[in-house]
């Protein structure tokens, strides 16, 4: 155990930010987003401003660090299913404001995923640096989708 423990309820997702040795925690109950310092265990609640794509729910989606964007990305859309949410940290992700917006995927994408699964995508959203895009398995009985970055 490192640092103080605290209790939260609801679905939770974690994403490691390697350049800052901290974790972005999403949760659909209580504080939506928090940053945890891995060395000290301290939890920070910086501000997040902007609009998520497709009604993304923190904690019900799996956030992924994308080094080339310097941001965390996620997909959990009930609308606008071809959009991906980007969360960009400030210089210090623990205390500086984060910006939420959407990223543009390649116009060559010929896929339109179905709306999110009722209980979320969990770990079925991933970023592949080798492929230069995102892979999504919205539901286990559906096709695999790929979003190329522009």
């Amino acid at each position: 155990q490192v640092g103080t423990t605290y209790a939260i309820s609801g679905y939770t997702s974690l994403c490691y930010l390697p350049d800052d040795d901290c974790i972005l925690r999403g949760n659909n109950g209580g504080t939506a987003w928090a940053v945890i310092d891995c060395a000290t265990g301290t939890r920070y609640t910086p501000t997040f401003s902007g609009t998520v794509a497709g009604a993304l729910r923190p904690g019900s989606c799996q956030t992924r660090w994308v080094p080339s964007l310097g941001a965390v990305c996620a997909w959990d859309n009930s609308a606008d299913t071809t959009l991906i949410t980007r969360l960009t940290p400030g210089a210090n992700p623990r205390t500086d404001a984060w910006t939420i917006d959407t990223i543009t995927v390649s116009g060559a994408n010929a896929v339109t995923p179905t709306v999110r699964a009722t209980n979320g995508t969990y770990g079925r959203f991933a970023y592949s640096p080798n492929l230069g895009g995102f892979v999504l398995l919205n539901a286990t009985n559906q096709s695999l989708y790929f979003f190329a970055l522009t």
Side-chain angles (χ1 to χ4, degrees):
Q1 176 180 326
V2 176
T4 305
T5 61
Y6 57 95
I8 57 174
S9 64
Y11 296 118
T12 298
S13 63
L14 304 171
C15 179
Y16 182 63
L17 310 177
D19 296 341
D20 296 291
D21 194 28
C22 59
I23 295 170
L24 174 65
R25 189 221 60 216
N27 180 260
N28 69 351
T31 304
W33 302 105
V35 176
I36 301 166
D37 185 300
C38 292
T40 66
T42 304
R43 178 184 62 151
Y44 297 89
T45 53
T47 59
F48 287 77
S49 62
T51 304
V52 298
L56 177 132
R57 303 165 298 176
S60 294
C61 62
Q62 178 56 59
T63 50
R64 302 294 185 181
W65 176 250
V66 181
S68 63
L69 298 176
V72 172
C73 292
W75 186 99
D76 179 55
N77 301 2
S78 63
D80 300 322
T81 60
T82 60
L83 299 178
I84 295 174
T85 298
R86 173 175 55 188
L87 298 93
T88 305
N92 182 344
R94 296 160 188 83
T95 56
D96 292 347
W98 288 59
T99 303
I100 301 174
D101 63 359
T102 57
I103 61 170
T104 303
V105 296
S106 172
N109 281 321
V111 299
T112 303
T114 57
V115 298
R116 67 180 174 217
T118 303
N119 293 327
T121 55
Y122 301 100
R124 298 186 312 255
F125 174 78
Y127 172 71
S128 171
N130 291 339
L131 296 175
F134 300 94
V135 176
L136 168 68
L137 181 59
N138 189 27
T140 56
N141 62 349
Q142 295 181 13
S143 298
L144 187 67
Y145 298 100
F146 180 77
F147 297 97
L149 288 174
T150 54

